């Protein structure tokens, strides 16, 4: 199946395919999990639920931002391809 068909059918999902292989990323994830564990142990369950809610809302906002970055980058790349294609001397 061609890429265009895969995109149309929703078969391409970069979020499922891309897992950063960066030491800083892994360390940040480890730190976040450690902090979450500390907060879970120190806070009352009701208070920790608020922390989890904050985390979910932040992820949702970051997902929207990432989607907009993707759309802009894809659009920019396609405009660049169009410009290159339209060069008169080719």
């Amino acid at each position: 199946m061609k890429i265009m068909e895969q995109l149309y059918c929703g078969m391409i999902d970069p979020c499922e395919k891309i897992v950063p292989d960066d030491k800083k990323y892994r360390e940040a994830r480890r730190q976040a999990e450690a902090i979450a564990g500390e907060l879970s142990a120190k806070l009352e369950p009701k208070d920790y639920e608020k922390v989890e809610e904050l985390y979910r809302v932040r992820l949702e906002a970051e997902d929207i931002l990432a989607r907009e970055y993707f759309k802009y980058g894809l659009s920019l790349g396609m405009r660049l391809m169009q410009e290159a294609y339209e060069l008169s001397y080719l």
Side-chain angles (χ1 to χ4, degrees):
M1 186 177 282
K2 298 197 182 247
I3 292 175
M4 206 179 299
E5 292 169 334
Q6 291 177 16
L7 277 171
Y8 179 80
C9 296
M11 298 172 72
I12 295 177
D13 186 357
C15 294
E16 290 182 0
K17 303 274 189 235
I18 297 173
V19 178
D21 189 31
D22 183 295
K23 288 180 182 179
K24 288 181 182 179
Y25 173 79
R26 289 193 307 270
E27 178 61 22
R29 293 286 303 214
R30 189 197 62 71
Q31 287 178 351
E33 290 173 14
I35 292 169
E38 288 178 35
L39 289 173
S40 177
K42 291 180 180 181
L43 297 175
E44 295 293 324
K46 181 177 76 172
D47 294 329
Y48 188 68
E49 285 176 14
K50 275 298 195 189
V51 171
E52 288 181 319
E53 181 181 353
L54 172 64
Y55 184 69
R56 281 192 302 274
V57 171
R58 289 285 313 262
L59 282 178
E60 185 177 328
E62 289 173 14
D63 181 55
I64 292 167
L65 185 60
R67 192 176 316 130
E68 292 303 312
Y69 286 157
F70 171 79
K71 290 181 343 188
Y72 178 77
L74 182 61
S75 176
L76 186 61
M78 294 185 79
R79 287 180 19 219
L80 179 63
M81 288 177 60
Q82 179 182 7
E83 186 178 310
Y85 180 76
E86 292 173 347
L87 289 174
S88 61
Y89 56 84
L90 290 178

